[in-house]
Structure formats: structure tokens, C-alpha cells
Amino acid sequence: MKKYEYKCVSIRGGSEKTSRILTEYGQQGWELVCIWWAWHYFKREIEN
């Protein structure tokens, strides 16, 4: 069974700032799951 860790981050600013931050998280293995207002929810699989 896969296990995940989760992160919730408030990202405010223009599209360039948001794109930069999302790219950084993606390079760290975080997958964007949902956006609600300025809140961005991520998950990534935990290695067993």
C-alpha cells in the first residue's frame, strides 16, 4: 500500500511567482492535488 505525506501552502502573488513556486515543489517531488483560493494542497509518496 502506498503512503503519502501532505503539504498545504498559501501562495499569493502574480502568475510568475506562483509558477516559480509550483515548479520548485514539483522538482522536490510534490504533486499539486487541489487549489482553494490561495491555498495549494500537495502530496508526495513516502518511501518505505
Side-chain angles (χ1 to χ4, degrees):
M1 175 191 245
K2 293 181 180 182
K3 295 183 180 182
Y4 297 94
E5 63 179 326
Y6 299 91
K7 177 183 286 231
C8 179
V9 180
S10 176
I11 302 174
R12 297 174 185 264
S15 60
E16 286 183 31
K17 177 183 176 185
T18 301
S19 294
R20 181 176 37 82
I21 292 170
L22 294 177
T23 299
E24 288 174 14
Y25 283 123
Q27 290 173 344
Q28 295 171 16
W30 290 101
E31 177 183 351
L32 180 64
V33 177
C34 177
I35 301 172
W36 187 73
W37 293 83
W39 292 99
H40 295 68
Y41 297 85
F42 299 88
K43 73 174 185 178
R44 72 176 170 189
E45 191 172 346
I46 297 173
E47 299 285 332
N48 291 333

